[in-house]
């Protein structure tokens, strides 16, 4: 969620109780980066229908051939008509599906209908800052508390892992009831600790995040013909040596009339399909929330006018909300009065489009450039692979088959990949560790593909808070079957069909990457607990994660390993000598070439990596999962080609120790991603303050890098294994 916006003003000017103008300031704005710009007002959208022609259905719809003349012929025309009618049914069903998706917004839920005067519940989320990356609870600052007490909203495991803590707020709205000069509360006199904490949060540029009907509060500023957008609002601002707090909020709620299109359900099988139309009661007029805007102000209220005013009472003097000046200074031993006003505005934004202002991302040309760059790399590597297969290997095979046994014995100077035929399938060092790492890599790669695929379809939109993390966790647990299968199958291949010890291998797969993740998360969580941050995973959530690990992931991994014991393995086409062949010395260490090979896969994703890092650490929105899915496919292709080429090059110099080198030839991309993460920390997150924030950043980066290394390494190893098996299967052995 885009929660990192910052107030775009900060100036060192005068002090005192009078309002301080803050025009023309040029220090940090937005979320540590340029805000999103709109050429026109983004709050005015009315997209057209998905289907170009309205689709109409009857209560009963049958597919049949009406002309018996063509059916009696039994010719091709009858089959053609049947195909046309089936195509019509498919087209109508697809168009109906698109209309349903358009009308009900696939990623989110159904719209909430509010009548005039209905209560609207504003919720608060954690305070966030890109300066520290450590979230804190909303009520850790001296804000007004709800009269009914603080209550947590229902949270999924994804929200808890993201550090979101959604709670109720004291703000009371009623649909289509404009209110102004509402006194929310008057805080008690600020203690020394509260005063110190408030100043620290202002210095660290913390943002207040509010939600209404699952929409985050958003701010707009019109500058130089552009609409600048941020989400949330800052706690306060420092001007000179004086701290000011934003204690008056001007809310604008954008609403639209409630529209509930008919939902068509398709039931029945066979040639006929019955369509039943369901419609809800739409006689009573209602409204939907399609926008939630906030404008913070710093107002110094008259203490004499606040006497005998209860919470939610009306301030007797008009409050002028001027965002260009600040007046409410934070002083130890003095209280702060919080007020607000709310107005409802009819908008032409429809329900499916209400998230467009949040999900709008610029830089589509940059994404296309990244994809075209990746395609160029893939084309080059594909050409190299084609040359290897069509020219080099065929030529080598022809030369070797022309040599008889006497010529082979006489030509001791002969070199090439066929000379390692008796050693190429010799078991590698630490074979079980290799099986475990490849299996975990396949699991992570499968999780990435399924998560990004469903996210590209819209099922994991930011509108569904925490859905992306929850989906990743669910897919990782379920794909334990794949991890156990690959590990045991690969072990059988390395040991020529011996499946003994499959249970131990399955257990090690189930504990390898989850164990590394658990260790890193425990260390980072300890730091967050010590900082009293809401980003710390609650103890109960830790217990839930452990139960998911041992009760779901581990049994599924063992089941996958057991299935692999019943499956055929890859049989080696050649025998292995007992005495290993000596590898000729090379001018340069072979590992230099292996580590350098990671630059090509890194070149296919570094542009997309910048957007992902900005989304995670700078609070920007990332929603171009379609681009990301294409980049992932290109990354798999590049990793496979790089590993194949490097493996063939090693065999040509009679280096038969290809197992681990093929893994790290593509897996070395993780090294460059980690170096890029450090570069991002130094140059893009230079405002990151405190050693705790840096450790948290490096810890999560390390976890991401390990996952990428396992996934890309598995791609390279399996590609090289299949390539070598196919290559030596075509060799004529005397």
């Amino acid at each position: 969620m885009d929660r990192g916006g910052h107030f775009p003003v900060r100036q060192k000017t005068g002090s005192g109780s009078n309002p301080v103008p803050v025009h023309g300031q040029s220090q940090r704005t937005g979320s540590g980066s340029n805000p999103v710009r709109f050429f026109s007002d983004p709050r005015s959208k009315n997209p057209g229908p998905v289907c170009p022609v309205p689709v109409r259905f009857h209560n009963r719809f049958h597919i049949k051939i009406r002309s018996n003349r063509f059916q009696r012929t039994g010719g091709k025309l009858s089959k053609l008509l049947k195909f046309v009618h089936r195509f019509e049914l498919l087209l109508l069903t697809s168009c109906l599906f698109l209309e349903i998706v358009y009308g009900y917004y696939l990623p989110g839920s159904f719209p909430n209908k509010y009548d005039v005067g209905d209560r609207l519940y504003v919720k608060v989320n954690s305070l966030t800052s890109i300066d520290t990356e450590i979230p804190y609870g909303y009520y850790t600052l001296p804000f007004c508390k709800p009269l009914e007490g603080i209550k947590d909203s229902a949270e999924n495991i994804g929200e808890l892992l993201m550090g979101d803590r959604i709670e109720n707020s004291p703000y009371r709205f009623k649909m289509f009831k404009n209110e102004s000069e509402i006194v929310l509360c008057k805080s008690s006199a600020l203690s020394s600790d509260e005063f110190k904490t408030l100043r620290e949060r202002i210095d660290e540029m913390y943002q207040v995040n509010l939600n209404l009907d699952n929409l985050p509060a958003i701010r707009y500023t019109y500058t130089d013909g552009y609409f600048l957008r941020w989400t949330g609002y800052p706690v306060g601002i420092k001007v000179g040596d004086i701290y000011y707090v934003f204690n008056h909020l001007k809310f604008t709620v954008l609403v639209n009339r409630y529209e509930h299109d008919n939902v068509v359900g398709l039931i029945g099988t066979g040639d006929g399909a019955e369509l039943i139309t369901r419609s809800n009661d739409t006689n009573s007029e209602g409204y939907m929330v399609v926008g939630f805007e906030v404008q913070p102000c710093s107002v110094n209220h008259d203490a004499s006018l606040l006497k005998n005013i209860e919470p939610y009472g009306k301030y007797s003097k008009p409050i002028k909300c001027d965002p260009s000046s600040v007046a409410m200074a934070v002083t130890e031993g003095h209280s702060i009065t919080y007020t607000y006003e709310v107005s409802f505005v009819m908008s032409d934004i429809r329900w499916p489009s209400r998230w467009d202002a949040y999900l709008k991302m610029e830089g589509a040309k940059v994404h296309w450039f990244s994809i075209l760059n990746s395609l160029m790399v893939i084309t080059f590597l594909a050409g190299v692979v084609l040359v290897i297969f069509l020219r080099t290997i065929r030529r080598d095979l022809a030369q070797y088959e022309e040599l008889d046994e006497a010529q082979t014995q006489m030509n001791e100077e002969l070199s090439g990949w066929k000379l390692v035929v008796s050693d190429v399938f010799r078991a590698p060092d630490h074979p079980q560790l290799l099986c475990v790492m490849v299996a975990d890599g396949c699991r992570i790669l499968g999780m990435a593909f399924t998560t990004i695929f469903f996210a590209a379809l819209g099922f994991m939109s930011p509108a569904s808070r925490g859905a992306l993390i929850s989906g990743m966790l669910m897919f990782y647990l379920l794909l334990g079957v794949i991890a156990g299968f690959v590990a045991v199958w690969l072990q059988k291949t390395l040991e020529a069909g011996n499946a003994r010890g499959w249970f131990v291998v399955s257990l090690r797969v189930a504990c390898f990457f989850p164990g590394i993740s658990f260790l890193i998360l425990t260390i980072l969580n300890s730091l967050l607990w010590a900082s009293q941050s809401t980003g710390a995973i609650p103890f109960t959530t830790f217990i839930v994660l452990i139960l998911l690990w041992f009760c779901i992931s581990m049994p599924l991994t063992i089941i996958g390993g057991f299935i692999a014991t019943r499956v055929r393995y890859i049989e080696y086409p050649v025998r292995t000598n007992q005495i290993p062949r000596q590898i000729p010395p090379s001018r340069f260490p072979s590992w230099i070439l292996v580590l350098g090979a990671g630059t090509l896969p890194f070149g296919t994703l570094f542009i997309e990596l910048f957007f992902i890092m900005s989304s995670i650490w700078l609070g920007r929105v990332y929603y171009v999962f379609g681009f990301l899915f294409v980049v992932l496919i290109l990354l798999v292709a590049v990793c496979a080609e790089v590993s194949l080429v490097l493996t063939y090059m090693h065999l040509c110099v009679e280096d038969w120790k290809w197992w681990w080198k093929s893994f790290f030839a593509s897996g070395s991309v993780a090294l460059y991603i980690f170096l890029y993460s450090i570069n991002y920390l130094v140059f893009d997150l230079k405002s990151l303050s405190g050693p705790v924030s840096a450790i948290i950043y490096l810890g999560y980066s390390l976890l991401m890098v390990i996952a990428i290394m396992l996934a890309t390494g598995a791609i390279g190893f399996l590609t090289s294994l299949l390539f070598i098996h196919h290559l030596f299967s075509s060799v004529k052995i005397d």
Side-chain angles (χ1 to χ4, degrees), residues 399-409 418 421-422 573-575 577 728 730-734:
Q399 290 178 353
Y400 285 130
E401 290 176 359
E402 290 176 357
L403 296 175
D404 56 18
E405 184 176 356
Q407 288 176 321
T408 304
Q409 292 177 355
K418 192 181 177 184
V421 65
S422 300
V574 294
R575 292 193 302 267
N577 291 339
F728 285 90
S730 59
V731 175
K732 182 179 179 181
I733 305 298
D734 295 329

Side-chain angles (χ1 to χ4, degrees), residues 389 393 397 417 425 570 573 719-731:
F389 274 107
I393 294 180
L397 287 174
W417 53 267
F425 291 107
I570 295 181
T719 303
S720 297
L721 176 62
L722 297 177
F723 165 70
I724 290 180
H725 182 271
H726 176 74
L727 176 62
F728 285 90
S729 297
S730 59
V731 175

Side-chain angles (χ1 to χ4, degrees), residues 149-162:
I150 302 173
K151 301 177 182 178
D152 294 332
S153 298
E155 296 170 326
N156 56 50
I157 193 169
E159 291 180 86
L160 294 173
L161 294 178
M162 290 174 61

Side-chain angles (χ1 to χ4, degrees), residues 35-74:
V36 176
R37 295 184 174 186
F38 300 94
F39 287 96
S40 59
D41 191 344
R43 296 166 288 182
S44 177
K45 285 189 176 182
N46 190 12
V50 176
C51 290
V53 180
V55 181
R56 296 290 183 266
F57 293 92
H58 299 288
N59 289 336
R60 186 174 295 274
F61 183 78
H62 293 282
I63 298 296
K64 60 184 179 180
I65 305 299
R66 291 183 174 85
S67 178
N68 294 326
R69 291 180 301 169
F70 300 114
Q71 289 184 350
R72 285 195 300 268
T73 62

